Amino acid sequence: MPATRNLCAQLPLDLHQRVCEAREESGLTTAQYITNLLLEYYEMKENGGNAAMTNGKNRTLAFQIDEELFQRIKAHLERESARLGRKVTQREFVLNAIIGVLNMSEPMDVDEAGVSPCEAGAEDGSAQPQEEDTPAALSA
């Protein structure tokens, strides 16, 4: 075990509460948790401020867009930030847009056989009748 020294610091109450909650969730002692925080901080600093590059769990997605689209996005972010009362970032905007499109395009409610509830047969195994696009069927 390496030699250790005590490090004390006065913290604002809200920051202290956040640290205590996160430490409890991690299951670490205060010394272990603070040591990990400091090690992560210095690793991040050594890697140009990007901790994501060190953990291998995140990937970078970069692309260029034209100025007009960029200005539209910037205006949208300003409106959303004002509406929500907090800063909405470009990253948050792009991630939410991507996740929204993926959620809409991925199959939903498909069972193990790859059949959605609408395609499944009746309980007796026969196929369910399809409704006709007639005025009576549409009003039902």
Side-chain angles (χ1 to χ4, degrees), residues 9-39:
Q10 294 291 315
L11 303 174
L13 291 176
D14 58 334
L15 178 58
H16 183 271
Q17 183 64 33
R18 284 178 64 188
V19 170
C20 289
E21 288 171 3
R23 183 204 55 79
E24 288 172 13
E25 288 176 14
S26 72
L28 299 173
T29 66
T30 302
Q32 292 168 327
Y33 184 75
I34 297 298
T35 298
N36 288 347
L37 280 179
L38 292 171
L39 289 171

Side-chain angles (χ1 to χ4, degrees), residues 31-140:
Q32 292 168 327
Y33 184 75
I34 297 298
T35 298
N36 288 347
L37 280 179
L38 292 171
L39 289 171
E40 285 178 26
Y41 169 79
Y42 284 110
E43 267 184 43
M44 181 177 65
K45 211 170 165 185
E46 291 167 3
N47 287 301
N50 192 346
M53 295 179 82
T54 63
N55 67 14
K57 295 180 183 175
N58 291 306
R59 301 292 299 267
T60 299
L61 179 66
F63 51 89
Q64 293 185 337
I65 58 174
D66 67 28
E67 182 66 23
E68 181 183 345
L69 181 56
F70 181 80
Q71 293 303 325
R72 286 177 62 197
I73 292 170
K74 187 174 173 182
H76 172 77
L77 294 175
E78 288 173 5
R79 287 190 306 271
E80 283 298 290
S81 294
R83 185 178 71 83
L84 296 173
R86 65 173 181 80
K87 182 174 173 57
V88 178
T89 65
Q90 289 179 20
R91 179 182 188 278
E92 178 182 2
F93 171 75
V94 171
L95 285 176
N96 285 338
I98 292 170
I99 290 168
V101 169
L102 291 174
N103 286 344
M104 288 189 318
S105 68
E106 291 171 345
M108 297 172 63
D109 296 327
V110 176
D111 67 13
E112 296 81 31
V115 178
S116 71
C118 293
E119 296 169 342
E123 290 182 19
D124 65 359
S126 64
Q128 293 180 344
Q130 296 293 317
E131 290 184 6
E132 298 292 324
D133 287 338
T134 62
L138 294 175
S139 64

